[in-house]
Amino acid sequence: MPHTDRVGPTKAELAAAYGSTIPDVVAPGLDVLFCGINPGLLSAATGHHFARPGNRFWPALHLSGFTPVQLRPDQQRELLDHGLGITNMVARATARAEELSADELRAGGAVLTDLVRGVRPKALAVVGLGAYRTAFGQPKAGVGARPERIGDTLVWVLPNPSGLNAHWQLPELAAEFARLRSAVS
C-alpha cells in the first residue's frame, strides 16, 4: 500500500457527500441541544458535526466553559458526558447553507420542535440567527434567549460559528456561549 500524507476526504469524497446526512448526537434530558443549520460537505464526508477546521464551534464551546478541554469533531460523542448534544435544522449536506430553501428551513424547524419535545433538553441553542429566523417565522429575532419555549425547553439563538461569519470573532462567540451556559446552570 503506498504511503499518503492525505488527512481529509478527497474532492470526489466531498462531492459524494452532497445531500447525505449524519447522525445526531442526542440523548434524553440534555442540558443543551445545539442545533446547526445543516451539515457541510466535510461534516457529511467524515460523519462529524462542525468538522471544517475554520469553524469555531469547538473552540467557543471550550472557552465558554461547556467542556474542560477543546474537543475535536471526531470526539463529538463525548459531548453526551457533559450533558450536551448536536443536531441540525436541515439534515441534508450542502456546500453552503445558502443552498437551503426557506421551505426546507421551516420544515426543519418543525422536525426540530418534535425532537426537542421528545428528548426534552433544558435548552435548545440554535447556532445560526438567519436559519432560526426563517425556520421559526421570527424575522426580527436576535442573538440570546427567546421569549418562546418548546415545552419546558429554553430556546436560545447563538451566532453562526462558521469562519465565514466575520461579524463574530472567537472571543465574542465564546462570550455568547458562556451567557447560555450561565442561563442553563
Side-chain angles (χ1 to χ4, degrees):
M1 177 181 268
H3 173 74
T4 178
D5 291 325
R6 184 174 68 81
V7 293
T10 65
K11 287 182 181 180
E13 290 166 333
L14 289 173
Y18 199 92
S20 63
T21 63
I22 60 177
D24 292 339
V25 177
V26 71
L30 296 169
D31 289 330
V32 181
L33 176 59
F34 290 94
C35 177
I37 300 169
N38 76 309
L41 297 181
L42 184 60
S43 287
T46 62
H48 304 130
H49 294 268
F50 299 103
R52 184 150 305 282
N55 194 294
R56 295 154 312 164
F57 175 80
W58 299 101
L61 202 63
H62 170 59
L63 291 172
S64 65
F66 273 114
T67 59
V69 297
Q70 184 176 318
L71 299 175
R72 298 182 315 267
D74 65 327
Q75 296 172 306
Q76 65 188 13
R77 301 285 313 162
E78 291 181 32
L79 289 174
L80 296 173
D81 297 336
H82 303 288
L84 308 173
I86 303 178
T87 188
N88 285 293
M89 185 78 63
V90 175
R92 78 175 178 97
T94 60
R96 296 181 58 98
E98 291 79 19
E99 296 175 49
L100 303 173
S101 70
D103 286 343
E104 281 181 288
L105 289 168
R106 285 189 290 272
V111 171
L112 177 61
T113 297
D114 289 343
L115 176 64
V116 168
R117 285 189 176 128
V119 299
R120 299 175 47 206
K122 289 180 187 173
L124 167 67
V126 177
V127 184
L129 180 58
Y132 175 83
R133 286 173 171 169
T134 301
F136 289 95
Q138 299 288 329
K140 296 182 186 215
V143 168
R146 300 293 309 145
E148 59 276 357
R149 288 181 174 255
I150 299 173
D152 292 331
T153 299
L154 171 69
V155 177
W156 199 281
V157 179
L158 290 168
N160 187 335
S162 167
L164 299 174
N165 183 0
H167 299 296
W168 290 85
Q169 297 304 310
L170 182 56
E172 292 79 19
L173 280 171
E176 286 300 322
F177 276 59
R179 285 181 55 221
L180 167 61
R181 184 172 166 262
S182 292
V184 173
S185 57

